[in-house]
């Protein structure tokens, strides 16, 4: 079946530290991959996406590369800010045109000044 | 890219009937309801594609979705249980092709007493 596995949190970093949040997936065919961010008390916002192998998604200093050989889509940022504190969800849509979005468990990031 | 949801908060008793409303004006033809419990990822409940229900993830009948037109999505609630207390998120996308991005609203926080 289709599934997403994220590293467990919480992840606590100091401001300006380098961030990596690991995400691996299991899927048949060619899924599309997404990172969503949820700030406290809010809905989900799309952070970035990639729809085919070797695509790199990027936004607001965050990047992730679709690696089919390792079935991974790790999220990175070179220098985090306190305002990046949130829950990050890795997700995929299977190659099935149903619209189903399958989420990982989420990783809480806390950035301290 | 905006999806709006009303109300923001809702408190209801187990015998009440209430409705959640979701609206988008992006011309999207697919709309979704998700349920999110604290510290968990969203769980898909329903998918509407071109105003027709295409997916019901075995949701109890006390939740009744309705799509009056392509911009509006309602969720009618009746005889809910305390365990139904959660954040209810609406999302929309251009279609259900797997590369499509789902855009989420801010959610309705529901408390069932």
């Amino acid at each position: 079946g289709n599934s997403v596995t994220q590293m467990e949190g919480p992840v606590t970093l100091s401001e300006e530290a380098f961030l990596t949040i690991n995400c691996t997936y299991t899927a048949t065919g060619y899924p599309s991959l997404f990172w969503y961010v949820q700030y406290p008390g809010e809905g989900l916002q799309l952070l970035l996406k990639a729809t085919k192998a070797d695509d790199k998604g990027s936004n607001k200093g965050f990047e992730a590369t679709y690696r089919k050989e390792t079935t991974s889509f790790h999220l990175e940022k070179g220098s985090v800010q306190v305002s990046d504190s949130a829950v990050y969800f890795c997700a995929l849509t299977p190659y099935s045109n149903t619209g189903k979005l399958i989420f990982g468990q989420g990783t809480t990031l806390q950035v301290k000044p | 890219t905006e999806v709006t949801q009303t109300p923001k908060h809702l408190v209801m008793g187990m015998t009440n009937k209430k409705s959640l409303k979701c609206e988008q004006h992006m011309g999207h033809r697919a709309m979704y309801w998700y349920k999110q419990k604290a510290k968990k990822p969203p769980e898909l409940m329903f998918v509407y594609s071109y105003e027709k229900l295409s997916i019901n993830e075995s949701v109890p009948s006390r939740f009744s979705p309705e799509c009056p037109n392509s911009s509006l999505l309602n969720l009618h609630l009746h005889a809910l249980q305390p365990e139904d207390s959660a954040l209810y998120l609406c999302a929309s996308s251009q279609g259900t092709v797997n590369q499509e991005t789902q855009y989420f609203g801010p959610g309705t926080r529901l408390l069932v007493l």
Side-chain angles (χ1 to χ4, degrees):
Chain A
N2 300 298
S3 65
V4 177
T5 302
Q6 286 181 241
M7 61 187 288
E8 288 196 23
V11 174
T12 303
L13 296 173
S14 297
E15 208 164 21
E16 298 184 5
F18 185 86
L19 169 70
T20 300
I21 300 179
N22 289 338
C23 171
T24 56
Y25 68 88
T26 302
T28 53
Y30 303 93
S32 291
L33 302 174
F34 303 84
W35 277 101
Y36 282 88
V37 59
Q38 187 172 33
Y39 297 101
E42 297 186 11
L44 275 70
Q45 298 177 26
L46 176 71
L47 188 56
L48 50 85
K49 72 183 234 187
T51 58
K52 61 182 188 296
D54 301 324
D55 265 2
K56 177 187 279 189
S58 60
N59 185 26
K60 300 181 183 177
F62 291 90
E63 292 183 341
T65 301
Y66 188 143
R67 301 279 188 208
K68 192 158 176 65
E69 63 276 12
T70 55
T71 61
S72 65
F73 193 53
H74 305 319
L75 182 68
E76 296 182 336
K77 187 177 185 184
S79 174
V80 293
Q81 306 300 312
V82 171
S83 57
D84 293 326
S85 298
V87 181
Y88 292 80
F89 291 100
C90 184
L92 69 82
T93 50
Y95 196 68
S96 60
N97 297 345
T98 61
K100 282 194 176 188
L101 188 57
I102 295 163
F103 288 94
Q105 288 302 302
T107 302
T108 300
L109 171 65
Q110 185 177 28
V111 181
K112 297 190 173 180
Chain B
T1 52
E2 189 179 60
V3 176
T4 59
Q5 291 187 243
T6 54
K8 285 189 170 19
H9 301 275
L10 180 62
V11 180
M12 59 187 291
M14 290 189 283
T15 57
N16 292 158
K17 284 185 182 180
K18 297 285 185 184
S19 296
L20 310 184
K21 181 179 171 182
C22 172
E23 198 163 2
Q24 57 86 14
H25 294 288
M26 296 178 279
H28 289 174
R29 303 313 300 264
M31 296 186 79
Y32 311 78
W33 280 115
Y34 290 85
K35 172 183 177 180
Q36 187 181 25
K37 301 284 269 185
K39 299 190 185 302
K40 295 289 187 185
E43 298 172 19
L44 182 66
M45 300 174 73
F46 303 103
V47 180
Y48 273 84
S49 179
Y50 289 84
E51 300 160 47
K52 291 191 183 333
L53 183 66
S54 59
I55 293 178
N56 175 342
E57 292 286 85
S58 303
V59 178
S61 60
R62 57 185 184 268
F63 296 91
S64 175
E66 178 197 20
C67 189
N69 60 59
S70 59
S71 301
L72 269 179
L73 185 66
N74 298 320
L75 186 63
H76 303 297
L77 314 173
H78 173 55
L80 293 194
Q81 304 297 308
E83 59 264 28
D84 296 322
S85 298
L87 180 68
Y88 288 84
L89 294 163
C90 174
S92 72
S93 63
Q94 190 68 38
T96 57
V97 174
N98 77 321
Q99 297 95 336
E100 300 287 359
T101 298
Q102 291 186 27
Y103 296 92
F104 285 80
T108 293
R109 197 162 295 279
L110 174 67
L111 178 61
V112 181
L113 300 175

